[in-house]
Amino acid sequence: GQQVMQIPQYQHVQEGEDFTTYCNSSTTLSNIQWYKQRPGGHPVFLIQLVKSGEVKKQKRLTFQFGEAKKNSSLHITATQTTDVGTYFCAGYQGGSEKLVFGKGMKLTVNP
Amino acid sequence: NAGVTQTPKFQVLKTGQSMTLQCAQDMNHEYMSWYRQDPGMGLRLIHYSVGAGITDQGEVPNGYNVSRSTTEDFPLRLLSAAPSQTSVYFCASSQKTPGVADTQYFGPGTRLTVL
């Protein structure tokens, strides 16, 4: 079945650093979504990417969908302590009616 | 709008007991789903529904039943609780199926412990 893998699973950065996390699917996706979950909270929708090669920005966060629509990346610029949490990507494969989540990337920030 | 609500927030069960986790949304969403979250495992889909009267299985459906008699409610039933079902359960809803809708709204979660 469809699998979505995220790397790395854990990321520890110094406040102010940039970093990138990746999401890879075993199958071609119709769209990919990103969510953020704060410690003790529930996942909150961040963004959806639909088109091949699409790039979307939200303040310091840049999301990209690969040309083959099998991978995606999230780049955070100048990390802040408010960015702490677990980031999930979730892929939708056409016709399945299911969203498949990766295992998440847990971000900690050293102030 | 209250969004997606879940009750209870916390529950402790003994092995073999049954219970129902409640989920309701007031956004008239067609698509509803249940996930379980375990450490290091991400969110795994248990069951989902594309509309009232229609349900289907996700990745990990064994030991769980669902029904969708109204658009608003999507309860999850544990038939005979087992320690392996200790987890945090999230209900989510979206206006349409994930291929059409661009946002899934998650409830606050139910933390279940089975002894």
Side-chain angles (χ1 to χ4, degrees), chain A residues 2 9-10 30-31 33 35 37 40-45 47-48 86 88 90 92 96-104, chain B residues 31 35 37 40-43 45 48 50 56-59 90 97-109 111:
Chain A
Q2 180 189 352
Q9 276 195 279
Y10 302 93
S30 296
N31 65 56
Q33 300 177 3
Y35 292 79
Q37 183 178 27
H42 59 275
V44 175
F45 175 83
I47 209 154
Q48 173 172 273
T86 301
F88 293 97
Y92 174 75
S96 71
E97 296 178 334
K98 301 174 192 175
L99 202 57
V100 177
F101 280 79
K103 293 184 178 181
Chain B
Y31 188 89
Y35 294 88
Q37 184 174 33
M41 297 297 292
L43 292 154
L45 182 65
Y48 66 97
V50 299
D56 207 342
Q57 296 181 350
E59 299 173 70
F90 288 103
T97 61
V100 179
D102 63 1
T103 306
Q104 279 209 102
Y105 296 87
F106 281 80
R111 189 173 295 272

